[in-house]
Amino acid sequence: MEKTPFVTLEQVQEIVKTHPTPFHIYDEKAIRENARRVKAAFAWNPNFKEYFAVKATPTPRLLQILKEEGFGVDCSSYTELLMSKAVGFAGQDIMFSSNVTPAEDFQLAAELGAIVNFDDITHIDFYEKLAPFAETMSCRYNPGGEFVLDNQFMDTPQEAKYGMTRPQMTEAFRKLQAKGVKRFGIHAFLASNTTENGYYPALARILFQTAVELHQETGAEIAFVNLSGGVGIPYRPDQQPSDILAIGEGVRQAYEEVLVPAGLGDVAIYTEMGRFILGPYGMLITQCTHHKHTHKEYAGCDACAANLMRPAMYGAYHHITVLGKESAPHDHIYDITGGLCENNDKFAIDRALPEIAIGDYLAIHDTGAHGFSMGYNYNGKLRSAELLLCEDGTVELIRRAETPQDYFATFDFTHLFD
């Protein structure tokens, strides 16, 4: 699969007259089209809802676009709850899924009327001291063991810190019933960034069977099953993308085979995707500012790991296009680096690319999720601006770049002058 930037060199040359590099930019038209594909894939379920994982891209303007497309939000912290409230999300359009949860986070979630998704059975007693129980609440399930799909190892849930054991799920439901909870949700996350179309259907079967068992054991009304996230994107050009329509159909088949015969044919399906919703529709645009010729060939950029942490943190692959040289031969081998005092501050290692001249603009693909959001200020580096390529072709500043004044704003210098 060829990866084509959604902005051209000419567009970037015009943008930088107002917004210097580096910056993240997002494609509104593609975001909306993808949101509609997701809804179409699950349209067979009348109460389907996607709760976008705010952690992936906590940018209010983008949340507003997704709200307009009928999405809810999945929040995991106090600040994400506040942001979602500011954008206009309220009540059961907010899912609150967190772990090691502070008291004030639970309290705000309750004030907003969010659906609280308990990660740990001990959180139930903790929560009782903070806020009243709602009629609809959820529990997060961890089946343990290893998760294998079509004889392929996917992940090890038993090593994950999230969720309750199977016996704890039954106990949690009974505890919550005793506290007045009427309707229940079941949630789980078993694999990350998989493009296997069978992942959601396999997870759905596990959760649907668990829902049937819990209903039979406790008599609880199962209001929804939340498949959470994990649906991935093809970071590499040779990867096949997930087929969301096929995924939705696979979940439908599991629903018809497991839930419907058990009399649970009115259960809503929820998802909490982040990467699949926005990942491919964001790019980091950076300019080559230096060359270094030592034991290797380096192309140094004005962006660094503070702008995109995934390659440095995970060794993650992000495709790179040298804008204006899309058709040129990839006959040079570079490490593409930033300016942090860390040797892992590299966007690519030994990457074959066209010859890069100082002043060239590079588009680093698939940064729409877990890109800007993982930024930090090591070395006093400042986080970049975020821009939106609007449907009408104009460009909107949706987050300004940080300034040194922002960096120093949290310090108290008064003691230096005593």
Side-chain angles (χ1 to χ4, degrees):
M1 182 186 72
E2 185 178 350
K3 283 190 174 288
T4 304
F6 57 80
V7 291
T8 64
L9 173 61
E10 291 73 24
Q11 285 176 296
V12 168
Q13 288 172 331
E14 189 62 31
I15 291 168
V16 298
K17 294 176 182 177
T18 307
H19 307 293
T21 54
F23 54 78
H24 287 267
I25 187 166
Y26 307 93
D27 184 352
E28 180 184 7
K29 183 175 185 290
I31 290 169
R32 291 188 184 275
E33 289 172 349
N34 190 49
R36 292 164 192 173
R37 278 193 296 272
V38 169
K39 290 194 296 183
F42 292 92
W44 55 266
N45 185 260
N47 295 310
F48 168 76
K49 196 170 191 69
E50 157 64 19
Y51 288 83
F52 174 73
V54 175
K55 67 179 76 66
T57 321
T59 305
R61 182 69 175 90
L62 300 178
L63 298 183
Q64 179 190 36
I65 290 171
L66 296 177
K67 183 174 186 293
E68 291 168 0
E69 295 297 331
F71 285 12
V73 282
D74 168 56
C75 298
S76 58
S77 70
Y78 189 91
T79 309
E80 288 180 1
L81 286 166
L82 285 179
M83 180 181 293
S84 299
K85 177 185 177 183
V87 176
F89 292 97
Q92 296 197 356
D93 284 340
I94 303 173
M95 185 76 61
F96 182 62
S97 300
S98 66
N99 65 96
V100 195
T101 308
E104 57 268 25
D105 294 33
F106 272 141
Q107 289 170 327
L108 180 56
E111 289 172 17
L112 296 177
I115 300 173
V116 172
N117 183 34
F118 289 110
D119 175 69
D120 178 23
I121 195 167
T122 67
H123 287 179
I124 295 172
D125 291 337
F126 180 72
Y127 182 91
E128 187 172 25
K129 301 171 185 176
L130 305 170
F133 289 91
E135 289 195 351
T136 301
M137 305 200 86
S138 180
C139 293
R140 185 169 187 171
Y141 176 43
N142 184 333
E146 294 181 344
F147 180 56
V148 177
L149 179 65
D150 295 333
N151 296 318
Q152 179 182 353
F153 172 79
M154 301 296 290
D155 217 324
T156 52
Q158 67 185 10
E159 300 296 333
K161 67 175 182 175
Y162 310 108
M164 305 182 199
T165 66
R166 180 61 187 82
Q168 287 175 337
M169 289 290 286
T170 301
E171 183 183 353
F173 271 44
R174 288 179 172 149
K175 284 175 71 79
L176 290 167
Q177 284 176 310
K179 298 178 189 303
V181 177
K182 306 293 185 188
R183 293 177 296 277
F184 290 80
I186 302 172
H187 172 287
F189 178 90
L190 300 187
S192 179
N193 190 36
T194 174
T195 55
E196 293 289 336
N197 291 337
Y199 167 60
Y200 254 9
L203 171 61
R205 287 184 183 275
I206 293 170
L207 292 184
F208 293 165
Q209 186 58 48
T210 303
V212 171
E213 293 170 2
L214 288 167
H215 174 67
Q216 292 172 345
E217 291 169 5
T218 68
E221 178 187 343
I222 309 300
F224 64 84
V225 168
N226 189 333
L227 302 177
S228 68
V231 179
I233 62 173
Y235 284 99
R236 295 178 180 271
D238 57 355
Q239 285 182 288
Q240 283 295 114
S242 301
D243 183 343
I244 197 64
L245 295 178
I247 290 169
E249 174 59 18
V251 174
R252 187 197 65 77
Q253 291 177 11
Y255 190 100
E256 295 290 337
E257 293 170 13
V258 180
L259 288 181
V260 172
L264 298 178
D266 58 351
V267 172
I269 299 300
Y270 294 163
T271 56
E272 289 174 357
M273 294 180 279
R275 195 188 315 264
F276 184 82
I277 301 299
L278 288 187
Y281 313 116
M283 295 188 301
L284 174 60
I285 306 298
T286 181
Q287 187 174 37
C288 177
T289 57
H290 291 279
H291 283 161
K292 185 173 185 178
H293 316 286
T294 55
H295 305 290
K296 303 183 78 173
E297 290 296 310
Y298 296 96
C301 300
D302 57 6
C304 64
N307 306 112
L308 177 63
M309 191 179 189
R310 295 184 72 255
M313 187 175 185
Y314 306 121
Y317 180 95
H318 280 265
H319 199 63
I320 296 174
T321 297
V322 184
L323 293 176
K325 299 181 179 179
E326 288 84 353
S327 300
H330 288 51
D331 55 1
H332 287 64
I333 304 298
Y334 294 102
D335 281 13
I336 307 298
T337 75
L340 290 184
C341 296
E342 289 288 342
N343 194 47
N344 66 353
D345 180 24
K346 297 178 180 180
F347 296 116
I349 297 173
D350 296 330
R351 184 75 59 87
L353 290 165
E355 183 176 8
I356 299 172
I358 292 176
D360 278 351
Y361 293 102
L362 279 60
I364 303 178
H365 292 252
D366 301 314
T367 70
H370 310 289
F372 181 94
S373 64
M374 295 177 72
Y376 57 109
N377 288 122
Y378 182 59
N379 276 180
K381 293 292 187 179
L382 303 174
R383 282 179 279 253
S384 67
E386 290 182 289
L387 309 178
L388 182 68
L389 177 63
C390 300
E391 287 188 289
D392 64 3
T394 61
V395 173
E396 177 184 342
L397 178 67
I398 58 176
R399 188 195 302 259
R400 66 166 174 80
E402 287 183 336
T403 66
Q405 289 74 22
D406 296 320
Y407 183 82
F408 285 104
T410 57
F411 293 116
D412 182 359
F413 289 101
T414 56
H415 70 282
L416 297 178
F417 307 104
D418 290 343

